[in-house]
Amino acid sequence: MSTLSTFPVWGQEPLSEAGLRTEVAEVTAELEARTGARALARIDGRPISTGGCTVVGGFLRLWGAATLPEFRGRGAYRAVLAERLHIGAEFGATTALVKGRVETSAPILARCGFTAYGEDRCYVLAV
């Protein structure tokens, strides 16, 4: 196994070999238990968008989705969303829940039929 390069959307460091093995084991266990999955979109073999999902009590919780800025507007986020919704339905979910950023995913989610039920606001206080 080789380490992955940094995914610039989140600015995270690549996983170590041990971290990568742990992540693969967790993802594999979730798939086998039908409780979660990850989706990945590629263009010309390059990973450009990803997102995860977890199924709990009939609810599909969508999380961690992001698309590289230079590939936005090409349908990758929507493809990852569609795949996660498909997986959730296969795993028995009947309702999908997601938080979407106003500037990026929220408009796409609205066009796909999601209903907004409120806003989360984040504030930073220098101490």
Side-chain angles (χ1 to χ4, degrees), residues 47-115:
I48 58 137
S49 185
T50 186
C53 61
T54 306
V55 177
V56 178
F59 289 91
L60 176 65
R61 298 176 182 175
L62 303 171
W63 50 265
T67 300
L68 291 172
E70 64 269 29
F71 290 98
R72 291 181 182 156
R74 297 176 65 179
Y77 176 86
R78 196 170 176 135
V80 166
L81 174 63
E83 182 61 18
R84 294 182 297 158
L85 292 171
H86 177 77
I87 290 166
E90 282 188 0
F91 288 3
T94 57
T95 303
L97 304 171
V98 64
K99 289 184 180 181
R101 290 188 179 189
V102 172
E103 308 85 23
T104 55
S105 57
I108 298 166
L109 294 165
R111 286 192 300 273
C112 290
F114 282 84
T115 301

